[in-house]
Amino acid sequence: MQIVFLTCVSGAVFQRAISAYQLSHQCRTQGFTSQVVDFINDFTEEELLEVVKKFIGPDSLCLGLSTSFFNDFKIMVDNKSVLPLYVPEHIVNVCVKIKKMYPKLRICLGGAKSYQGVNLDWVDDIFQGYSEDQFINYCNLLANDKSDHFIKKISNKHIYNVENKKFDITSLDHRFLKHDCILSNEVLPIEISRGCIFKCKFCAFPLNGKKKLDYIRDFDRIKDELIYNYENYNTTKYFFNDDTLNDSVYKIENLHRIIKSLPFKIEFSAWMRLDLLYKNQETIDLLKDMGLRTTFFGIESFNTKALKTIGKNMSPTKTKDFLEDLYYNK
């Protein structure tokens, strides 16, 4: 394989993260061969090295490592941070051994914590933010033995942090492949849209403050992916990757339309805003009807002063009452 991605389970439950698969899909659409190796935090060093060696060879261009979901509670406490970069030792050792076998191979970091890898001597390149455009350009340069003279360097690391310009989320036609080893009835991630219409003061994710209808996938393409997954993997359970699924009534109505037109039922989880659900309560029945089973609300605080500080306006009393109403009555 020309490009191999290493990633691990998102969170405490068995749930794949979408980013490595999405980037791998984009590589294949541009003519590269690519493979994702998942669940690497559960391999031993010997097992992981054996698997990676099956895909890395003299013609391989790069080995990419997603940094988003490696966690170590002690490091979090010591650093007083929820996002310290922690790469398990066995994974570092595998990367170092593979690099010794193939010195021309580039090792790059991506994901939420990649920027903290500037001092890691086994890392060559660092990608920040949504990277479809710059990663494809990077691979084309590697394939032609060329370098990018316009990137910046920190601690001798090449840093890529330019926002996507060409990649269009609306036309995304992502597909999992058989060699992704999808399990029957596994909960799969599916990308619905990107960005958030809010700009909370504690949040620095890319595409914050977008307009309501920006960066939403074509609904028919979402439907096609749901059908493809059902036909190939018997998939009916999902996590909807969307910073704020209910940021518009328009999105919920159209998702309801395509999901109810499927010849099978699905169930899903998602991130949502409680205040928007309170404002647009007509969407509650639509969400339940189309298969919502669990949701995650970013409530942050029941302290009025703290809420005002971060830019949230729903009162603690109203929030508690509405949560109770949702639980017992909705």
Side-chain angles (χ1 to χ4, degrees), residues 258-319:
I258 63 165
I259 290 172
K260 295 303 291 184
S261 70
L262 296 170
F264 53 89
K265 293 182 179 180
I266 70 166
E267 298 178 352
F268 67 93
S269 300
W271 291 302
M272 295 200 296
R273 284 275 297 221
L274 187 69
D275 52 354
L276 290 181
L277 199 62
Y278 181 84
K279 178 182 178 181
N280 303 308
Q281 295 194 32
E282 68 273 22
T283 63
I284 295 174
D285 286 340
L286 295 178
L287 288 161
K288 289 172 61 177
D289 188 47
M290 64 200 245
L292 178 67
R293 293 297 175 264
T294 58
T295 188
F296 301 86
F297 296 124
I299 294 172
E300 278 77 50
S301 178
F302 288 124
N303 181 282
T304 303
K305 184 177 181 180
L307 290 170
K308 289 182 178 180
T309 300
I310 63 176
K312 291 198 170 185
N313 298 315
M314 191 164 171
S315 73
T317 299
K318 187 182 292 185
T319 296

Side-chain angles (χ1 to χ4, degrees), residues 208-225:
N208 280 351
K210 71 166 187 174
K211 295 181 180 179
K212 280 189 177 182
L213 304 185
D214 286 347
Y215 310 116
I216 302 175
R217 283 183 71 184
D218 179 88
F219 293 103
D220 287 332
R221 289 181 183 265
I222 296 173
K223 179 180 177 180
D224 290 343
E225 185 174 347

Side-chain angles (χ1 to χ4, degrees), residues 197 212-213 216 244-253 276 280 283:
I197 64 173
K212 280 189 177 182
L213 304 185
I216 302 175
T244 314
L245 183 70
N246 65 328
D247 58 10
S248 73
V249 176
Y250 166 83
K251 188 198 292 182
I252 299 302
E253 289 178 341
L276 290 181
N280 303 308
T283 63

Side-chain angles (χ1 to χ4, degrees), residues 24-168:
S24 183
H25 170 79
Q26 288 304 116
C27 290
R28 293 193 296 269
T29 65
Q30 300 301 312
F32 294 100
T33 56
S34 180
Q35 175 68 43
V36 177
V37 178
D38 209 333
F39 317 116
I40 60 173
N41 45 345
D42 294 315
F43 283 79
T44 66
E45 182 176 328
E46 293 74 20
E47 290 169 340
L48 182 59
L49 182 61
E50 181 180 354
V51 170
V52 173
K53 285 167 61 177
K54 292 179 182 293
F55 302 109
I56 294 290
D59 297 327
S60 297
L61 300 175
C62 70
L63 178 65
L65 177 66
S66 174
T67 63
S68 295
F69 299 107
F70 296 125
N71 293 309
D72 184 283
F73 182 74
K74 184 178 185 304
I75 291 177
M76 289 181 181
V77 172
D78 290 347
N79 289 0
K80 297 180 174 61
S81 170
V82 296
L83 284 177
L85 175 59
Y86 163 74
V87 183
E89 183 179 2
H90 73 286
I91 296 172
V92 175
N93 291 341
V94 167
C95 290
V96 170
K97 289 178 180 179
I98 289 293
K99 181 77 170 182
K100 287 182 178 179
M101 295 171 63
Y102 304 102
K104 290 186 177 181
L105 181 76
R106 304 293 290 184
I107 296 181
C108 55
L109 299 184
K113 307 169 190 174
S114 63
Y115 63 94
Q116 298 182 51
V118 293
N119 295 316
L120 300 178
D121 56 9
W122 51 275
V123 172
D124 297 307
D125 308 301
I126 291 175
F127 289 81
Q128 299 175 347
Y130 295 115
S131 300
E132 283 87 357
D133 286 357
Q134 54 191 355
F135 190 76
I136 296 300
N137 181 61
Y138 168 83
C139 292
N140 280 321
L141 290 170
L142 291 180
N144 292 284
D145 288 324
K146 296 181 179 179
S147 59
D148 188 344
H149 300 291
F150 300 99
I151 58 174
K152 63 180 180 180
K153 288 187 177 182
I154 300 177
S155 300
N156 206 35
K157 303 289 188 299
H158 294 184
I159 310 297
Y160 296 84
N161 59 2
V162 179
E163 290 186 9
N164 282 339
K165 299 296 182 184
K166 296 180 181 178
F167 176 76
D168 182 8

Side-chain angles (χ1 to χ4, degrees), residues 158-202:
H158 294 184
I159 310 297
Y160 296 84
N161 59 2
V162 179
E163 290 186 9
N164 282 339
K165 299 296 182 184
K166 296 180 181 178
F167 176 76
D168 182 8
I169 185 69
T170 63
S171 59
L172 174 64
D173 60 351
H174 176 264
R175 293 292 184 272
F176 286 103
L177 300 183
K178 293 291 185 182
H179 57 68
D180 290 326
C181 303
I182 305 300
L183 303 179
S184 179
N185 291 317
E186 179 183 342
V187 177
L188 287 184
I190 182 170
E191 196 162 19
I192 304 299
S193 72
R194 288 186 181 177
C196 181
I197 64 173
F198 298 97
K199 297 186 72 173
C200 296
K201 294 179 181 179
F202 59 83

